[in-house]
């Protein structure tokens, strides 16, 4: 039975950029703090391990290549020893961990999210369906199977990355699965602040808030922040200072009626946004409007979700000549 009150934490903090082991160390410290404060779940932002690749936004296409090897080597292998440490920490601490990461699979990278149970087992791992803008120069794509909502001891939990929250069909596919708690993973809102209003805090926190209202669920919006150490690593100076700035944190938790459940932290500060979620609030919110239920009009509009994965290689055994089917359907002798 789902708990009546679920305590959750949204992270607003910087990882140790492009250092996977050090970032996992920091993630475990933050998870320990959340556990000590009675949290059932802690959520991290987009690509928190090993840090969002801000370098891809900072120059001509060839300029970010200087960071390619280091970034690739510090991305998460879900079968690797570094990720195993995170699984073990969730079990040891007895807290659910929702992590955003850059996933390394073979020679490819994907923007991923996972949910780890208190037993240290992976509840789900998903990939961002469509990387945004220049992200497509680095990351591969996910599929319909990545629109996942899982049954857990604290209710049905799902997750999306960043601008997946401005794709209406993605959202509707999630709402249709009865999501109670949604993890909205964001990077920092410090890229192109003066040139691209749509990439800023106001627009994207509004998208998180609207997700809560549309889906009648709790939304845990986790973000990272930009520190001076990150700016130094990425060689941000007078020539490109307007492209990436300090701060950008904006972690928040929204209720099913859209209300903010606390005040924002200062954008430069690290911390945990913690809230107690009264799960019965979902019942009252859905009494007004459930978009994939009594407030839907399937005879007018309907969504089709293709959940089958699309693999680049399919290995099939060729039938022997003796058993090959003939055009008329008979089997040759």
């Amino acid at each position: 039975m789902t708990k009546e009150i679920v305590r959750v934490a949204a992270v607003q903090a910087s990882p140790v950029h492009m250092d996977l082991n050090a970032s996992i160390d920091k993630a475990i410290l933050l998870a320990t703090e959340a556990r000590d404060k009675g949290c059932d779940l802690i959520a991290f932002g987009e690509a928190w391990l090993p840090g969002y690749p801000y370098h891809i936004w900072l120059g001509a296409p060839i300029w970010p290549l200087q960071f390619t090897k280091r970034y690739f080597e510090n991305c998460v292998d879900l079968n690797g020893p570094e990720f195993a440490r995170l699984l073990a920490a969730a079990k040891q601490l007895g807290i659910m961990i929702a992590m955003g990461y850059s996933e390394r699979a073979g020679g490819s990278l994907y923007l991923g999210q996972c949910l780890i149970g208190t037993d240290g087992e992976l509840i789900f791992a998903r990939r961002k369906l469509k990387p945004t803008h220049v992200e497509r120069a680095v990351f591969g794509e996910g599929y319909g199977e990545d629109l996942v909502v899982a049954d857990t001891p604290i209710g049905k939990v799902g997750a999306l990355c960043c601008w997946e929250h401005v794709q209406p069909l993605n959202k509707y596919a999630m709402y249709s699965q009865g999501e109670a708690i949604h993890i909205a993973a964001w990077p920092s809102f410090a890229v192109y602040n003066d040139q691209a209003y749509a990439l800023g805090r106001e627009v994207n926190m509004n998208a998180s808030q609207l997700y809560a209202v549309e889906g009648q669920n709790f939304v845990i919006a986790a973000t990272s922040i930009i520190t001076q150490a990150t700016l130094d690593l990425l060689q941000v100076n007078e020539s490109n200072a307007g492209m990436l700035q300090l701060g950008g944190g904006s972690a928040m938790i929204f209720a099913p009626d859209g209300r903010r459940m606390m005040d924002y932290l200062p954008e430069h500060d690290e911390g945990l946004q913690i809230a107690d979620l009264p799960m019965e609030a979902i019942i009252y919110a859905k009494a007004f409007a459930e978009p994939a239920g009594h407030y839907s009009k399937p005879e007018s509009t309907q969504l089709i979700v293709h959940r089958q994965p699309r693999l680049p290689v399919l290995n099939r055994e060729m039938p022997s000549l003796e058993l090959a089917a003939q055009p008329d359907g008979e089997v040759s002798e």
Side-chain angles (χ1 to χ4, degrees):
M1 182 176 178
T2 303
K3 297 175 63 174
E4 293 183 1
I5 304 291
V6 177
R7 178 168 285 191
V8 299
V11 171
Q12 178 173 305
S14 173
V16 184
H17 210 77
M18 297 197 203
D19 188 331
L20 178 57
N21 273 307
S23 294
I24 288 178
D25 288 341
K26 187 169 183 177
I28 292 172
L29 288 175
L30 290 166
T32 301
E33 179 184 349
R35 187 279 312 269
D36 292 345
K37 292 180 177 178
C39 292
D40 301 292
L41 178 147
I42 182 171
F44 292 79
E46 183 179 40
W48 205 87
L49 298 176
Y52 181 85
Y54 300 102
H55 55 277
I56 64 178
W57 296 85
L58 300 183
I62 197 169
W63 185 86
L65 292 179
Q66 63 187 299
F67 302 102
T68 296
K69 180 175 182 291
R70 179 173 178 177
Y71 193 77
F72 180 86
E73 290 176 344
N74 280 276
C75 287
V76 174
D77 179 349
L78 295 184
N79 297 310
E82 298 85 2
F83 189 69
R85 290 178 54 213
L86 196 64
L87 297 173
K91 182 176 182 179
Q92 180 181 1
L93 296 171
I95 189 171
M96 298 175 70
I97 298 176
M99 179 58 71
Y101 50 82
S102 291
E103 178 190 353
R104 186 177 74 244
S108 299
L109 297 180
Y110 302 90
L111 282 166
Q113 290 170 282
C114 72
L115 181 64
I116 304 170
T118 56
D119 58 359
E121 296 295 323
L122 197 60
I123 296 174
F124 66 72
R126 68 171 302 271
R127 292 170 175 171
K128 188 174 184 178
L129 271 69
K130 175 70 73 171
T132 304
H133 198 52
V134 295
E135 290 174 359
R136 294 197 284 275
V138 178
F139 298 105
E141 300 185 352
Y143 297 101
E145 62 180 349
D146 295 303
L147 295 169
V148 57
V149 174
D151 285 307
T152 80
I154 63 172
K156 291 188 175 183
V157 180
L160 293 175
C161 277
C162 199
W163 265 22
E164 288 187 304
H165 294 90
V166 298
Q167 217 315 343
L169 302 185
N170 289 346
K171 295 192 295 180
Y172 199 69
M174 299 292 284
Y175 302 155
S176 71
Q177 297 176 69
E179 193 179 26
I181 297 174
H182 176 75
I183 312 300
W186 300 92
S188 78
F189 300 113
V191 175
Y192 295 178
N193 273 358
D194 298 330
Q195 297 91 0
Y197 182 78
L199 300 180
R201 160 181 166 171
E202 184 174 11
V203 168
N204 294 293
M205 285 299 98
N206 285 345
S208 298
Q209 183 180 40
L210 182 60
Y211 192 102
V213 175
E214 287 183 343
Q216 299 89 42
N217 49 40
F218 292 96
V219 172
I220 309 171
T223 71
S224 59
I225 65 172
I226 298 296
T227 65
Q228 188 60 49
T230 303
L231 294 183
D232 293 343
L233 174 66
L234 300 181
Q235 304 171 27
V236 177
N237 51 45
E238 295 82 2
S239 66
N240 58 1
M243 295 183 176
L244 187 65
Q245 301 172 5
L246 291 169
S250 190
M252 181 50 61
I253 300 172
F254 296 97
D257 61 1
R259 76 183 66 190
R260 297 195 304 269
M261 301 192 73
M262 70 278 294
D263 293 327
Y264 285 103
L265 296 171
E267 68 168 296
H268 298 87
D269 289 2
E270 294 196 334
L272 299 179
Q273 294 278 52
I274 295 175
D276 291 326
L277 313 184
M279 302 307 289
E280 67 175 15
I282 295 173
I283 297 173
Y284 296 105
K286 287 189 179 296
F288 285 91
E290 185 175 11
H294 64 82
Y295 206 52
S296 65
K297 287 288 289 180
E299 72 276 19
S300 302
T301 57
Q302 191 175 53
L303 174 66
I304 299 173
V305 180
H306 298 283
R307 296 202 175 276
Q308 298 81 9
R310 300 294 191 267
L311 301 178
V313 177
L314 294 175
N315 293 306
R316 293 177 176 171
E317 296 293 334
M318 293 295 294
S320 65
L321 293 177
E322 290 77 15
L323 296 178
Q326 301 300 303
D328 59 4
E330 297 181 358
V331 176
S332 61
E333 298 187 6

